Amino acid sequence: MKFQKFAAYITGIQAALLVSIYFDIPLIRQILGFFYLALIPGLVLLFCLRLDKRNTVLVSLLYTTGLSLAFLMFSGIIINYALPVIGIEKPLTTYPIFFSISILILVLLFCSRRKDMALPFNIKITLEMRMHIPITIFLVSLPILSVAGTILLNNTGNNVLLILLLVLIIIFSISTVFLRNTIPAWVYPVAIFTIGISLLFMHSLNTPHLVGYDIHGEYHVFRLTDLNSLWSPYLEEGVYRNNIYAYITCISITILPVIFHVITGISPEYIFKLIFVSFFSIIPLAVFRIARYNFDKYTSFLSALFFIILGYFHTQLPMVPRQGIAFIFFSLLILALFDNKISHLKRRVLFVVFVFSAIMAHYSTAIVMFIVLTAFFILNAPGIKSRPDSSDRIRGNTIILIGISLFAWQVYTEGVLLNLLNLMKNFFLHLSEFLEPETKGTTVLSLIGMQAGDPVVRMGFYIGTLTRIFIVVGTLFVFLRWRDLKIKRDFVLLQLIGLAILFLVVITPYVSKGYNAERVYLQTLIFLAPSFVIGGLKVIDMLRVKGKEIGYGIVVLILVFHFAFQAGLIYQFVGIQQSVALAREGEMYNRLYVHEQDIESAKWLGNIAREKPIFTDANGQDILTSYGMLPNARIWAVKKDMELFGNPYIYLRYSNVVNGKITLRGSVDSNLSDTNIPYMLGLDITDKVFDNGGSMVYRMRFQPFLETAGI
């Protein structure tokens, strides 16, 4: 394609988007705006780096998406600080963002100018593809079934379509064992994408509103940036608790969602629930491609499938958008690190872009990333045994630059350095207590079976333990036999580093309390996932089970059983309601589901009670933070026998009023109680100031116990 033709396409898209924004044309603005932001900046950057002809369609698409997100974050920071200098006091609004981004894209387009510009997404429909149309239709139908299932569940409470979705995924996974020699290579990425996005949609769209814990605080800083039309990492002292001060430093949940919101016109909730979750579906594709550098296509497919079926990916990741965006960059920097189809210089450029993007996206993911890369550099450092397959992937100056950048960003934004220092302090003070359960987070306790009381839950624990045994065995086997298996030594070392980090997180006192071990597990699985397959095959071989077909079959059966537990399917069948995605009752429903009445009362309270303390249950705090836009330092979680203070408001959400359930904040976790808040606190009907039939607000009037409260 000639440059003039490509430039005409870009400017035409920009003009069409501008018209759709000006007239707010439904669907066109949303669809065109999404694809413009998600693909065009990255595509232009791909041309600038002369990478349009260098790689496969899949890798080009992954780089394009990652570069687009990185471009939007970096350009958003430039817009935020540069436009006020020239008199635009609210830079993060529709037209300043649109014109600034469009001009930057045109400048990059001019810099990439050359005679022949080949689109990397030029897919030719072959006879083989036509022969496999039925399987393509089946795979494409999965996301449609997922969306239809969430709509049916939201409107009627019927989960039959979602159950069908999970069953079809299981059937397809098992069928690949018998069809692996006949399935063409292009089917695997399609399957990974459609299965991944189906499960993500199943959990992100299963309610009309936000679901989760962290996401409410993340939504608060997003809306704060959006309402101010300006991002600042500095918030007033004492108004918020520590998590909000940390969240505001993440460009991934402040500037980035604002850009998508003002350009596409999509509601703020669905920027997180739909747009961001759609981006998360490329992470398993990166896992697949990373595995393909060293393993065959079917092993790589099972590696990505194992990554997808983990509950933290499809259930928890939609609840922590900042981490999902950071995982995208982390997976892409690992992909670029081992991409030998491009020159060393271009690989380094991609690597550095994705590293800096991860730093700005999420502090904790960036710290784990720095530990991984530093250990990788040390093990590959000159003087440590010859490295026949090493390509000087990371240099010392790069590690120093990453460390300085990570530290500088945290200092500038006043990020989580204090929390990190407190975590290290607890670690050294309690180093001798590494076997004590009190020093472990709830995720680690569940990993070692200390929270699996029900027999069915314990069965799920045993299967999960088996998968982790496979990972350990696979990593060690690859380490011992990497030459025979023809696996790059660099990759083997990276896997050993990942395994060592997981081991340290599990045994080290207080680390898993400060940072969820499951998050580290998923992050390291980006390159550790193939060990599950290799380890499974090795264990089966050690048990004298002969035949690769049987070996793969057993591995897949263990995988789908693990999936059935992780997705809540087996719990649903035995009557244990553990998933909001499949049920409209049970503990997780009462804990996490946000009703319309909850939002209405939270907004009402947010307009009148910004200076007064508010008491509610543990999950009511989240709703008031996100939808009431209230500073969370003034929101207190009720406890039994506690004294209230300061003429407070009492906020009761739907589960408190209608279901009589209250989430009490404990020292380890939150626990549901049948105790009704008004009865527990001795409230009288005359204290009620708001009631919409599902949520209530009370006002207690007495002299504040300031000394008791400590304020």
Side-chain angles (χ1 to χ4, degrees), residues 241-282:
R241 294 192 178 95
N242 287 342
N243 62 329
I244 299 297
Y245 289 112
Y247 295 166
I248 196 68
T249 67
C250 301
I251 304 301
S252 56
I253 52 172
T254 50
I255 293 177
L256 185 63
V258 168
I259 291 173
F260 275 97
H261 170 54
V262 301
I263 297 299
T264 65
I266 295 172
S267 72
E269 282 179 303
Y270 279 83
I271 296 298
F272 278 173
K273 290 170 65 67
L274 180 64
I275 300 301
F276 275 30
V277 166
S278 298
F279 284 123
F280 300 163
S281 62
I282 74 169

Side-chain angles (χ1 to χ4, degrees), residues 228-423:
N228 293 333
S229 300
L230 184 72
W231 173 72
S232 171
Y234 311 115
L235 296 173
E236 185 181 345
E237 290 281 343
V239 175
Y240 294 98
R241 294 192 178 95
N242 287 342
N243 62 329
I244 299 297
Y245 289 112
Y247 295 166
I248 196 68
T249 67
C250 301
I251 304 301
S252 56
I253 52 172
T254 50
I255 293 177
L256 185 63
V258 168
I259 291 173
F260 275 97
H261 170 54
V262 301
I263 297 299
T264 65
I266 295 172
S267 72
E269 282 179 303
Y270 279 83
I271 296 298
F272 278 173
K273 290 170 65 67
L274 180 64
I275 300 301
F276 275 30
V277 166
S278 298
F279 284 123
F280 300 163
S281 62
I282 74 169
I283 303 173
L285 290 172
V287 172
F288 171 77
R289 191 57 233 180
I290 291 167
R292 281 294 285 131
Y293 287 145
N294 291 282
F295 302 98
D296 62 83
K297 62 183 180 181
Y298 190 62
T299 299
S300 302
F301 167 70
L302 292 182
S303 303
L305 191 60
F306 177 68
F307 185 89
I308 290 170
I309 61 98
L310 290 177
Y312 194 84
F313 172 73
H314 59 75
T315 303
Q316 298 294 324
L317 208 57
M319 300 181 186
V320 280
R322 71 191 189 282
Q323 188 149 41
I325 297 296
F327 277 9
I328 291 173
F329 293 125
F330 181 74
S331 63
L332 293 179
L333 73 88
I334 298 296
L335 181 70
L337 190 65
F338 290 94
D339 189 350
N340 289 326
K341 290 189 176 181
I342 58 179
S343 69
H344 179 72
L345 177 61
K346 292 174 182 178
R347 186 168 66 240
R348 176 165 293 190
V349 170
L350 288 174
F351 178 80
V352 170
V353 168
F354 295 141
V355 162
F356 285 123
S357 300
I359 289 172
M360 293 191 299
H362 182 219
Y363 38 89
S364 300
T365 301
I367 291 170
V368 174
M369 172 196 72
F370 178 66
I371 294 171
V372 169
L373 296 179
T374 302
F376 183 75
F377 165 73
I378 292 172
L379 292 178
N380 276 292
I384 298 180
K385 205 172 180 178
S386 61
R387 312 183 312 278
D389 62 337
S390 177
S391 304
D392 192 22
R393 301 189 192 280
I394 302 180
R395 294 179 180 175
N397 56 4
T398 305
I399 293 296
I400 294 171
L401 179 62
I402 294 171
I404 293 173
S405 302
L406 178 60
F407 179 78
W409 180 256
Q410 293 304 317
V411 170
Y412 171 69
T413 59
E414 297 181 359
V416 296
L417 285 179
L418 185 59
N419 292 340
L420 182 61
L421 291 174
N422 287 331
L423 185 64

Side-chain angles (χ1 to χ4, degrees), residues 37-296:
L37 294 175
L39 295 177
I40 298 302
L43 185 59
V44 173
L45 284 169
L46 217 61
F47 285 129
C48 285
L49 293 171
R50 301 292 197 270
L51 294 176
D52 47 308
K53 299 179 181 179
R54 295 286 183 179
N55 236 311
T56 63
V57 172
L58 174 59
V59 175
S60 296
L61 183 60
L62 290 172
Y63 286 155
T64 297
T65 308
L67 288 171
S68 289
L69 293 174
F71 170 86
L72 294 175
M73 288 171 60
F74 284 108
S75 61
I77 293 174
I78 294 171
I79 292 167
N80 183 77
Y81 286 107
L83 295 192
V85 175
I86 59 174
I88 301 176
E89 296 181 356
K90 294 184 176 294
L92 298 182
T93 50
T94 305
Y95 293 109
I97 287 178
F98 173 80
F99 285 112
S100 298
I101 288 176
S102 296
I103 291 170
L104 287 172
I105 288 174
L106 292 176
V107 170
L108 290 173
L109 183 63
F110 180 79
C111 293
S112 68
R113 182 175 181 175
R114 64 181 190 272
K115 291 182 179 180
D116 184 23
M117 304 179 73
L119 285 175
F121 313 135
N122 188 17
I123 302 174
K124 295 180 180 179
I125 306 299
T126 63
L127 178 61
E128 182 188 48
M129 290 182 177
R130 293 191 182 97
M131 292 173 62
H132 289 85
I133 285 178
I135 193 172
T136 305
I137 294 173
F138 168 78
L139 292 171
V140 171
S141 69
L142 294 179
I144 299 172
L145 184 61
S146 177
V147 174
T150 58
I151 293 172
L152 182 66
L153 182 68
N154 287 330
N155 292 326
T156 68
N158 191 320
N159 63 8
V160 62
L161 291 182
L162 295 177
I163 295 291
L164 176 62
L165 170 69
L166 298 179
V167 171
L168 288 176
I169 291 173
I170 289 173
I171 292 173
F172 174 78
S173 301
I174 295 173
S175 69
T176 60
V177 177
F178 308 100
L179 301 174
R180 65 188 183 91
N181 293 323
T182 59
I183 294 177
W186 60 268
V187 170
Y188 290 120
V190 174
I192 291 165
F193 175 76
T194 54
I195 292 173
I197 202 167
S198 299
L199 293 175
L200 287 167
F201 281 167
M202 172 181 163
H203 288 88
S204 69
L205 302 178
N206 61 6
T207 75
H209 304 294
L210 302 177
V211 175
Y213 302 100
D214 291 11
I215 194 171
H216 290 278
E218 296 182 30
Y219 186 78
H220 181 95
V221 298
F222 161 33
R223 295 294 291 143
L224 201 64
T225 306
D226 185 32
L227 293 171
N228 293 333
S229 300
L230 184 72
W231 173 72
S232 171
Y234 311 115
L235 296 173
E236 185 181 345
E237 290 281 343
V239 175
Y240 294 98
R241 294 192 178 95
N242 287 342
N243 62 329
I244 299 297
Y245 289 112
Y247 295 166
I248 196 68
T249 67
C250 301
I251 304 301
S252 56
I253 52 172
T254 50
I255 293 177
L256 185 63
V258 168
I259 291 173
F260 275 97
H261 170 54
V262 301
I263 297 299
T264 65
I266 295 172
S267 72
E269 282 179 303
Y270 279 83
I271 296 298
F272 278 173
K273 290 170 65 67
L274 180 64
I275 300 301
F276 275 30
V277 166
S278 298
F279 284 123
F280 300 163
S281 62
I282 74 169
I283 303 173
L285 290 172
V287 172
F288 171 77
R289 191 57 233 180
I290 291 167
R292 281 294 285 131
Y293 287 145
N294 291 282
F295 302 98
D296 62 83

Side-chain angles (χ1 to χ4, degrees), residues 367-671:
I367 291 170
V368 174
M369 172 196 72
F370 178 66
I371 294 171
V372 169
L373 296 179
T374 302
F376 183 75
F377 165 73
I378 292 172
L379 292 178
N380 276 292
I384 298 180
K385 205 172 180 178
S386 61
R387 312 183 312 278
D389 62 337
S390 177
S391 304
D392 192 22
R393 301 189 192 280
I394 302 180
R395 294 179 180 175
N397 56 4
T398 305
I399 293 296
I400 294 171
L401 179 62
I402 294 171
I404 293 173
S405 302
L406 178 60
F407 179 78
W409 180 256
Q410 293 304 317
V411 170
Y412 171 69
T413 59
E414 297 181 359
V416 296
L417 285 179
L418 185 59
N419 292 340
L420 182 61
L421 291 174
N422 287 331
L423 185 64
M424 294 174 64
K425 175 184 174 183
N426 280 326
F427 163 65
F428 287 112
L429 287 177
H430 303 277
L431 191 58
S432 61
E433 303 173 15
F434 68 94
L435 293 178
E436 296 296 328
E438 293 78 12
T439 66
K440 311 299 181 187
T442 54
T443 301
V444 169
L445 294 178
S446 65
L447 285 175
I448 59 179
M450 295 189 66
Q451 294 187 334
D454 186 275
V456 178
V457 176
R458 188 164 288 276
M459 185 185 298
F461 159 73
Y462 290 143
I463 294 177
T465 300
L466 184 59
T467 65
R468 291 184 282 276
I469 291 172
F470 283 1
I471 290 172
V472 174
V473 172
T475 303
L476 296 178
F477 177 69
V478 167
F479 172 68
L480 295 173
R481 300 285 300 277
W482 62 275
R483 286 190 178 89
D484 297 336
L485 297 171
K486 297 181 180 179
I487 297 172
K488 293 180 176 63
R489 183 176 179 273
D490 289 1
F491 189 76
V492 176
L493 294 176
L494 187 65
Q495 289 196 310
L496 284 174
I497 292 166
L499 192 64
I501 289 173
L502 289 176
F503 179 73
L504 290 173
V505 168
V506 170
I507 69 165
T508 303
Y510 286 98
V511 170
S512 60
K513 295 193 92 171
Y515 186 55
N516 192 329
E518 205 166 9
R519 300 185 183 189
V520 183
Y521 181 49
L522 193 70
Q523 185 173 353
T524 54
L525 273 184
I526 288 171
F527 50 84
L528 264 180
S531 291
F532 162 75
V533 184
I534 301 300
L537 293 174
K538 182 59 182 175
V539 169
I540 293 164
D541 181 64
M542 291 166 63
L543 295 174
R544 306 300 185 191
V545 177
K546 300 301 179 182
K548 208 166 186 178
E549 292 287 346
I550 298 175
Y552 275 123
I554 295 174
V555 168
V556 171
L557 282 177
I558 293 170
L559 187 148
V560 297
F561 268 111
H562 191 43
F563 170 58
F565 279 102
Q566 293 281 296
L569 187 61
I570 290 179
Y571 299 126
Q572 184 73 19
F573 286 151
V574 299
I576 302 175
Q577 308 296 345
Q578 286 208 351
S579 173
V580 181
L582 293 176
R584 286 298 175 260
E585 59 182 345
E587 178 180 336
M588 296 308 295
Y589 170 77
N590 286 315
R591 191 188 297 275
L592 297 178
Y593 195 92
V594 179
H595 295 263
E596 295 291 344
Q597 296 96 322
D598 298 333
I599 296 174
E600 181 186 356
S601 57
K603 289 181 177 178
W604 180 85
L605 194 54
N607 288 328
I608 66 168
R610 301 194 69 83
E611 300 301 323
K612 292 292 181 181
I614 302 168
F615 286 83
T616 181
D617 75 345
N619 293 100
Q621 286 182 301
D622 296 328
I623 298 171
L624 291 173
T625 300
S626 56
Y627 293 103
M629 287 300 293
L630 286 159
N632 64 356
R634 293 195 173 274
I635 308 171
W636 301 80
V638 295
K639 300 177 183 178
K640 290 182 180 179
D641 303 322
M642 75 180 301
E643 280 189 321
L644 308 190
F645 55 87
N647 298 336
Y649 288 93
I650 314 297
Y651 172 78
L652 306 182
R653 59 193 181 95
Y654 186 94
S655 289
N656 308 146
V657 174
V658 177
N659 300 328
K661 294 287 184 180
I662 159 181
T663 309
L664 297 178
R665 187 75 71 189
S667 58
V668 177
D669 199 3
S670 301
N671 298 296

